[in-house]
Amino acid sequence: METENSIYRRWNPPVETRLPDIHGWLQDIHSAHEFTSRLYHELSAENPDPVLLDALSTAALVRYSRCFTTGKRARLSIKELSMASATDIDLHERLRGIRDWHIAHPVNEQEVHALYVILDGSLEATTGAIGFSSFSSVNLHMQPSEVSAMLELCKKWIHWLNEQLIKEEIPLRPLVSSLSRAELLALSQDEPQPNSNILARRP
């Protein structure tokens, strides 16, 4: 229950809970859904902007994949999504694969990456190499059918995660109900502070 003048206090319950993780997963999946929705509309445009397609597909894949990697939060698994079909699971693995192979790492065997020598292409040319060039190519854009399927997969995740929120809150309600208003107000009102040091290593 929330009001217009809600007061927040930081609480460490006496039992284990995944509530903060679920909120984090929901935030990422909502973002992934929003980026994917905008990608879908851009793909439907008469003249899609290739730069925007690249940016939106990259953003959607990164935000989606954050839920399924190891970090401060617990790691979510596609196996937990009971409503996922075999097609959903295949799509999930493909999305994760694109992120792992083509976004998180610069060059690997999935990409075309080579050095070329440049020659004068004129019929009368007799010279050898006149310069060098390199070429690296990877297709980050998803097909329209995959984008549409990703939207539906995100919707399934959002529905499931909202159900998990309700389930996770049930054992916490009697615990927090046992605290008086004075006890609740005495709890810390500090906000979690992120580590802003971009050079810091994860444990």
Side-chain angles (χ1 to χ4, degrees):
M1 178 179 177
E2 292 187 15
T3 66
E4 291 184 3
N5 299 312
S6 297
I7 298 173
Y8 293 84
R9 289 293 186 270
R10 191 169 183 176
W11 182 46
N12 294 317
V15 295
E16 291 290 328
T17 179
R18 294 206 307 174
L19 212 53
D21 291 337
I22 296 170
H23 277 289
W25 294 329
L26 260 174
Q27 184 178 22
D28 279 335
I29 294 296
H30 272 297
S31 292
H33 182 272
E34 181 64 23
F35 287 131
T36 305
S37 178
R38 297 191 183 198
L39 175 61
Y40 181 82
H41 289 300
E42 186 61 26
L43 281 168
S44 304
E46 186 175 345
N47 296 301
D49 183 341
V51 174
L52 195 53
L53 291 177
D54 185 17
L56 290 171
S57 59
T58 298
L61 290 165
V62 168
R63 289 308 292 257
Y64 180 83
S65 296
R66 274 167 50 94
C67 299
F68 311 98
T69 54
T70 303
K72 185 70 173 178
R73 283 192 318 226
R75 183 174 185 168
L76 189 58
S77 171
I78 186 66
K79 295 177 182 178
E80 297 185 68
L81 188 61
S82 57
M83 66 184 74
S85 65
T87 301
D88 289 330
I89 295 172
D90 287 343
L91 174 64
H92 169 84
E93 295 301 331
R94 173 162 166 73
L95 299 177
R96 297 277 290 114
I98 295 173
R99 179 265 178 194
D100 291 344
W101 283 102
H102 299 309
I103 297 176
H105 305 286
V107 178
N108 52 65
E109 64 261 29
Q110 301 297 326
E111 298 184 14
V112 176
H113 186 74
L115 175 67
Y116 292 83
V117 291
I118 303 171
L119 305 175
D120 185 341
S122 305
L123 292 176
E124 65 276 8
T126 58
T127 58
I130 59 174
F132 300 94
S133 180
S134 61
F135 181 73
S136 182
S137 176
V138 57
N139 183 14
L140 288 179
H141 307 152
M142 294 177 284
Q143 298 300 314
S145 60
E146 292 176 316
V147 174
S148 179
M150 185 176 177
L151 280 172
E152 293 307 310
L153 180 57
C154 285
K155 289 178 183 177
K156 288 183 179 182
W157 275 119
I158 291 169
H159 177 78
W160 182 81
L161 287 168
N162 278 319
E163 287 184 336
Q164 301 312 301
L165 280 179
I166 295 171
K167 290 180 181 179
E168 203 70 22
E169 288 177 358
I170 291 174
L172 297 180
R173 288 172 187 163
L175 296 174
V176 76
S177 295
S178 67
L179 300 175
S180 68
R181 180 174 177 82
E183 289 173 315
L184 291 171
L185 288 173
L187 294 173
S188 172
Q189 53 183 319
D190 70 302
E191 296 180 3
Q193 298 299 315
N195 186 347
S196 60
N197 179 9
I198 60 173
L199 299 179
R201 292 179 179 272
R202 289 188 300 180

